[in-house]
Amino acid sequence: MAEKTASAPEKPRSFQEIILRLQAYWAENGCAVLQPYDMEVGAGTFHPATTLRSLGSTPWAAAYVQPSRRPTDGRYGDSPNRWQHYYQFQVIIKPSPPNLQELYLGSLKAIGIDMDMHDIRFVEDDWESPTLGAWGLGWEVWCDGMEVSQFTYFQQVGGHDCKPVSGELTYGLERLAMYILGFDDGNEMPFNDPDTAIPLTYGDIFREAEAQYARWNFDVADTDILLKHFEDAEAECARILEQPADDPKNGRRIVMAQPAYDQCIKASHVFNLLDARGVISVTERQAYIGRVRNLAKACADAFVQTEAGGWAA
Amino acid sequence: MTAPRPAPNARPEKALKATDMADLLIELFSEEIPARMQSKASQDLKKLVTDGLVEAGLTYEGAAAYSTPRRLTLAVHGLLAASKPVREERKGPRTDAPEKALEGFLRSTGLTKDQLEARDDKKGQVWFAVIEKPGRDASDIVAEVLEQTIRTFPWPKSMRWGAGSLRWVRPLHRILCVISDEAGSEVVPLDIDGITAGNQTEGHRFMSPGAFAVTNFDDYAAKLKRANVVIDPTDRAEHIWADATNLAFAKGLEVVEDKGLLAEVAGLVEWPVVLMGAIDAAYLDLPAEVLQTSMREHQKFFSVRNPKTGRIEHFITVANVETSDNGATILEGNSRVLSARLADGKFFWENDLRVAKADTQPPMKDWLDALANVTFHNKLGSQAERIERIAALTREIAPSVDADPDLAEQAARLAKADLSSEMVYEFPELQGVMGRYYIEAAGLPSEVALAASEHYSPLGPSDDVPTAPVSVAVALADKIDTLTGFWAIDEKPTGSKDPFALRRAALGVIQLVLENGYSLKLDELLAKASEIVGLRSRVEDEGFADSNDIRRFLHDRLKVFLRDKGIRHDVIDACIAMDGNDDLTLLVKRAEALADVLKTDDGENLIQGFKRANNILSKEEEKDGVSYELDPDPKFAESDEEKALFAALDQAGAAISPAIEAEDFAAAMAAMAVLRGPIDAFFEAVQVNADSQIVRRNRLCLLNKIRVTCGGVADLTKIEG
């Protein structure tokens, strides 16, 4: 994959312009620009375009924005840099190209970071997701001492060795945008063009919802219902995966890895909500994480039985 | 495609001789190697390659290894250009030996029968194998050794990348491998999973991008320097430290030394650029530990202190790049990140202070209550329960360490309150340190505050040991509760596994007792602790902490501790065999006195004399089935030597008893050492097993008197040699 140099040396002026430029850059560099996954996830990695597609040997290149939710990070919209709902920009390429670092640096240039004036560093940071049964080696990337991205070479996902290895890039969009746009309070940064007729800041769009979710996440969410949701999702995931590969209705081989994985995502998010409600003790925590991991592993096992996962009849 | 042109410095073809010398340069160029791994990796590269070369017959004069975030480099000079041919003769079976024997010999030599020579030997005709190994070019050997090194490199963690299966710490991009001499240099032919060795390297990622060729180490180092790469980590660290101290000095400030951070930062840059900035005034009132920890852990900044105020007022960051604005943009960015971090820190600090200063009974009640929900260990209960146990035990210990029991108990109850604070949640390594600040803020006695920061200590054999009585009481209770608790649930250390750091806890008890010279009856404390664990934990009935077993564990750790101080294990065993061995201070006093005396001639010989007396006596006692414990009567003494021994024992006994009473074991041992002469003389002149039963019995009782007199300090039978 050849590196294409960025065409926009000017600094971006809004949050959305950073997203648009990242999308344009990675599109130019050969990625399929996907849309966010339509479920509540804790991080961009949960998108099946990353978790499932990093399995098996079929080549893959995708980039997408993923709205993510971490209920415990809620601050009622009052924090300058923490929200329970936030955005990640995710790039996943399999096999990882030899010039992935250069491609990544090109993307920073595309969003207005001048390498001649800034200090970019790759600082050891190994990634592990106990809920996904996944780990990889890589770095957090620093720009002038601030972490702007995670850069990971996946070694294992859902308990499966990644062969070939996928390269994963995750940009924390709010922090990155605050830095590039020069705002200490993320709520104040322009979401759209600040000179447009109806300028909107990040806070205009999210502050109120943040307060609402914080209240619900911390104090109102019905834990009995959530516990039931967790168990339902777990049971449904198992039930889906128990089905025979061949659809009895038409005789076609249809391994339902992704619908099963949806239930895994659901269970994971419900667990995060229960955690925010403070009803999960330290010991139970490990047990819940283990249960989600078991689902993720079962889904990974199923995915490698699909064509996209490398199964051949 | 045109034929490749020879490199400008290509070495002319010639036959290499084993006496020719060459230099070898290897560089393994990869994506960023974690800073903490670089130093060991460069040493591993040096060892693996040079060992491999020597094993293959290539000796060398010297080798040096270097590392940067993106490369491991090895320079070997004075390398033999080829290995010497080796001729080896091996004697095989006789020519008339069974076919099997010959087959085995052929297999082991790799030869065929017609290559063997039959020679006459003493016992007849014998097969001889002459194996000739021709000398090999250095280049062949280097290629082999380097490939083996790369494929088996001992990274703490390694990875695959792309579609390949090679493992390295991060993707490996280039292998530079050239052998050079006065005539020129050549690339060692080597290809590892598609990476072909060459003579090219790359400069600084941003300041000097692009590849260039090098011919030898000097050329390599010089060109890299021009390409903004300092290959020697020591040079980078020295440069950083010099620039940092100069920048600070120019403003009348001083850099807080941090060797670990310096080494780490030197491993994060190829071209260090040191920048100093001021900490926003809004954060200068934060505790120094908070500033330092936040800056070191999150930003890898050095702290810069103002010697006049004693406060941390500036920071030093090390960038990897020179910029046209002399780092102004970089510094501004770093300052902003720091301010955001410190804003969090300040937020935690202020919230915590509110809790600390709140008028609750007990102080910091919210934090203490919250600890009821924090599990210490499933079977040992919550942190709150643990604090209850430690508080009860602290009260028991306090009188023995001259601490006020009320103050000590209060300290124990508050020492872990900061575990609930926001600051400690963010920076776990500040536990105790923050507790001290918060307890002071609550207006409580300074001894109580100090105990919060000191009660985790000592954390190792070289750590400072608390001396303030209240701190000592809480520190001891903390560790004894840990030992007793984990013993009760049968989680003792086994082999190399010690997940709850119980060896460290035991060593902590030993250091606290010994360094403060307290005379503590540990058995009583362990029994008390065991009782408390039984009452205030979730330990079921079967859970029982055997005090004897814990004492044995403490004695084992004491042996290790004293061995490092040069006291032999048999000396300690001899003292452990005495009563009152749960008083570690007393035990060590005995051991030191005994060890000192054993260093003298008299002492060494006294042991021999004692053992001789003891052996004879034990043998006779066993034979006769009686113990000769009566007081011997001097009137049955026959020779002068025997009479002299009687007198000497009486005299020594008169000196030893009061000395032992006064725990002056040195004096007691000195008095014993005097016995060496009379005992030796006695054995020289006197036959114990006399014909007269009365005399014999009396002499055996005399030997018993030696045994008793010399047994007051230690059980000398345990002394080896």
Side-chain angles (χ1 to χ4, degrees), chain B residues 28-43:
Chain B
L28 304 174
F29 183 85
S30 66
E31 297 179 13
E32 277 74 357
I33 306 165
R36 67 189 167 93
M37 300 178 189
Q38 290 164 21
S39 160
K40 175 164 187 302
S42 66
Q43 291 314 311

Side-chain angles (χ1 to χ4, degrees), chain A:
Chain A
M1 195 170 301
E3 177 191 354
K4 299 255 176 68
T5 43
S7 49
E10 294 282 307
K11 280 203 177 244
R13 305 183 65 231
S14 65
F15 187 72
Q16 71 189 22
E17 193 181 345
I18 290 172
I19 294 176
L20 292 169
R21 286 204 201 174
L22 282 173
Q23 287 179 331
Y25 175 84
W26 286 106
E28 259 181 83
N29 282 288
C31 285
V33 175
L34 305 181
Q35 298 307 314
Y37 201 55
D38 57 344
M39 290 187 70
E40 299 134 314
V41 295
T45 308
F46 275 86
H47 196 309
T50 292
T51 350
L52 296 182
R53 292 289 181 160
S54 63
L55 295 164
S57 55
T58 315
W60 181 252
Y64 55 90
V65 176
Q66 181 62 50
S68 308
R69 300 194 190 204
R70 285 189 188 161
T72 46
D73 273 0
R75 295 292 184 273
Y76 297 82
D78 295 338
S79 164
N81 53 21
R82 239 184 246 281
W83 301 268
Q84 56 86 40
H85 171 279
Y86 65 103
Y87 288 107
Q88 285 191 338
F89 190 88
Q90 177 92 1
V91 179
I92 177 92
I93 305 178
K94 177 176 72 175
S96 63
N99 61 338
L100 188 56
Q101 280 188 314
E102 283 70 30
L103 284 169
Y104 167 74
L105 292 170
S107 76
L108 292 188
K109 212 183 277 179
I111 53 176
I113 295 179
D114 178 358
M115 302 293 154
D116 291 336
M117 299 306 286
H118 293 276
D119 183 35
I120 307 291
R121 229 87 73 67
F122 292 85
V123 180
E124 177 190 15
D125 188 38
D126 299 339
W127 171 79
E128 194 184 353
S129 168
T131 39
L132 288 176
W135 68 276
L137 298 191
W139 311 273
E140 45 182 57
V141 185
W142 285 15
C143 175
D144 302 338
M146 190 183 68
E147 182 193 342
V148 290
S149 305
Q150 286 277 341
F151 192 130
T152 308
Y153 292 102
F154 280 178
Q155 302 295 301
Q156 221 179 50
V157 171
H160 290 255
D161 280 345
C162 298
K163 284 183 179 174
V165 166
S166 298
E168 184 212 41
L169 307 171
T170 304
Y171 306 70
L173 284 173
E174 284 79 3
R175 197 149 30 148
L176 185 59
M178 284 162 67
Y179 192 72
I180 292 169
L181 303 174
F183 284 84
D184 289 334
D185 183 346
N187 289 312
E188 287 170 10
M189 67 182 164
F191 197 98
N192 62 354
D193 186 340
D195 296 333
T196 198
I198 307 175
L200 294 166
T201 66
Y202 191 90
D204 290 337
I205 298 173
F206 294 112
R207 196 198 301 262
E208 231 180 312
E210 278 296 310
Q212 295 170 16
Y213 277 106
R215 183 174 174 196
W216 181 69
N217 293 339
F218 290 133
D219 303 322
V220 177
D222 186 316
T223 55
D224 290 337
I225 292 180
L226 288 174
L227 283 165
K228 189 163 180 325
H229 281 348
F230 185 91
E231 271 157 23
D232 286 350
E234 191 180 38
E236 179 65 358
C237 182
R239 206 182 61 81
I240 297 172
L241 295 176
E242 272 165 17
Q243 304 303 311
D246 295 330
D247 183 348
K249 202 165 70 189
N250 52 29
R252 279 174 59 193
R253 179 187 164 81
I254 306 178
V255 176
M256 295 169 288
Q258 194 159 327
Y261 180 64
D262 283 353
Q263 299 303 318
C264 170
I265 293 179
K266 211 169 264 180
S268 172
H269 178 64
V270 171
F271 161 70
N272 289 341
L273 285 169
L274 286 166
D275 197 23
R277 287 288 279 115
V279 293
I280 292 178
S281 73
V282 183
T283 32
E284 285 173 326
R285 223 186 126 73
Q286 287 315 311
Y288 272 102
I289 289 172
R291 284 164 76 178
V292 178
R293 180 169 58 243
N294 288 340
L295 300 184
K297 283 187 167 169
C299 296
D301 294 347
F303 183 77
V304 297
Q305 297 297 313
T306 68
E307 254 176 69
W311 187 84

Side-chain angles (χ1 to χ4, degrees), chain B residues 365-416:
Chain B
K365 183 171 187 302
D366 286 359
W367 286 346
L368 294 171
D369 288 350
L371 290 178
N373 297 321
V374 178
T375 307
F376 169 66
H377 184 284
N378 270 347
K379 294 183 183 164
L380 294 175
S382 67
Q383 283 287 5
E385 287 167 291
R386 175 164 151 79
I387 290 170
E388 281 297 320
R389 296 197 300 268
I390 294 174
L393 193 55
T394 300
R395 235 194 136 76
E396 296 290 330
I397 296 172
S400 324
V401 300
D402 311 319
D404 177 79
D406 291 337
L407 217 50
E409 187 187 334
Q410 187 183 29
R413 290 191 179 281
L414 294 175
K416 293 183 193 293

